Amino acid sequence: MLPRPSRIKASALFIAVLIMVGSVAAAELLKPRQYWADVIGEPHYATLIPTRFGEWQELPYAQKSVVNPVQEENLMRLYSETFARTYLHRPTGRKIMLSIAYGRDQSNDTQLHTPEACYPSQGFRVEKRMEHTVSSAFGPIEAVQLITTMGPRRTEPLTFFIRVGDEVSRGSRDRNLARIKMALKGYRSDGMLFRVSEVTRLPQPFGLQDRFIQDLLGAMNPEDRRRIIGQQDT
């Protein structure tokens, strides 16, 4: 006698539920317990980022113009630390705004928010997006350039990149791959969003932003630099 269709459906459903429960249990068992931040040390960017280096010096009391990475109520949930500072480029008088957002756990519900999301949420319009590689003495840095505007008077070009674990990753797919790599090593990856921007209408604004990143990295010791760009191959 052939089994009834209802019994077949019930058996298939039971097997599917077992597979789903088993997958969830396996994922939980394989979930890394050790934080990468505890291995390299949780960074404190206000301390490790120099206030003066090369042709740059901090402008005190100028941080209010820096766009927050997310709204205030989400800061504590997403980030272990946020940091903002404005620098004067002494030869030209131009001002570069630096913002860093750091989270010690890059799980799905606590991943960093990129400027592509947080700028529009604060009234900006993203006019153009370009993938860009910043050349440095410590290896290429995969970054993104945006041109954003707010009304007819404010144009803010910016460059950002994200470190996940021990490498810089540009897109969400690469960031997820970096998290998986860290998980296979037994670690829950941390993450850092590094952003520089300038309020300017100059036709070629990004060269100075690259220069700022290059000069900053060159002024840092290897241990601190790793907390910005990970372990780069030179």
Side-chain angles (χ1 to χ4, degrees):
M1 179 182 294
L2 295 175
R4 294 179 180 178
S6 58
R7 291 183 178 178
I8 295 175
K9 290 180 180 179
S11 298
L13 178 60
F14 179 71
I15 292 172
V17 170
L18 283 178
I19 292 174
M20 182 177 66
V21 172
S23 298
V24 171
E28 185 62 28
L29 287 173
L30 295 174
K31 188 176 182 180
R33 305 297 179 186
Q34 187 173 10
Y35 289 91
W36 181 244
D38 294 334
V39 176
I40 64 172
E42 191 163 331
H44 299 287
Y45 290 100
T47 301
L48 65 88
I49 299 292
T51 58
R52 187 182 183 99
F53 56 94
E55 299 174 335
W56 304 90
Q57 68 181 53
E58 178 191 10
L59 281 178
Y61 314 113
Q63 290 87 344
K64 290 184 178 180
S65 59
V66 180
V67 175
N68 286 330
V70 289
Q71 297 298 327
E72 186 69 27
E73 62 267 21
N74 288 326
L75 288 177
M76 297 303 295
R77 184 177 68 87
L78 291 175
Y79 301 127
S80 308
E81 180 180 353
T82 59
F83 164 82
R85 189 177 285 165
T86 301
Y87 287 86
L88 172 70
H89 185 234
R90 294 193 303 275
T92 62
R94 291 168 64 180
K95 301 176 182 65
I96 294 292
M97 297 176 287
L98 168 64
S99 174
I100 294 176
Y102 174 79
R104 64 180 272 112
D105 183 7
Q106 284 302 285
S107 301
N108 286 329
D109 59 344
T110 55
Q111 290 192 51
L112 300 167
H113 286 192
T114 68
E116 293 156 295
C118 69
Y119 265 69
S121 72
Q122 298 182 51
F124 284 81
R125 178 176 177 178
V126 177
E127 303 288 351
K128 192 173 183 180
R129 179 190 186 277
M130 299 158 286
E131 294 189 350
H132 174 64
T133 300
V134 179
S135 299
S136 81
F138 313 100
I141 302 169
E142 294 185 349
V144 174
Q145 295 174 334
L146 300 179
I147 296 179
T148 69
T149 59
M150 178 185 280
R153 295 185 178 181
R154 180 172 176 130
T155 300
E156 187 173 335
L158 63 98
T159 302
F160 76 89
F161 61 85
I162 293 177
R163 175 184 63 77
V164 176
D166 215 19
E167 61 184 79
V168 171
S169 303
R170 180 185 285 128
S172 59
R173 183 179 62 181
D174 292 338
R175 294 198 295 273
N176 288 332
L177 181 59
R179 288 171 53 217
I180 292 172
K181 289 179 182 178
M182 295 301 299
L184 291 175
K185 295 178 182 178
Y187 299 112
R188 299 178 71 167
S189 60
D190 64 347
M192 179 222 62
L193 169 69
F194 182 103
R195 183 188 78 214
V196 290
S197 64
E198 180 186 15
V199 178
T200 180
R201 292 182 177 273
L202 291 174
Q204 301 294 332
F206 292 109
L208 192 65
Q209 295 182 14
D210 277 15
R211 177 70 176 276
F212 177 87
I213 295 170
Q214 293 160 352
D215 290 349
L216 174 60
L217 295 177
M220 302 178 74
N221 65 54
E223 183 179 351
D224 290 343
R225 187 164 53 242
R226 186 177 187 180
R227 290 169 170 81
I228 300 291
I229 58 173
Q231 189 67 51
Q232 290 281 340
D233 296 324
T234 56

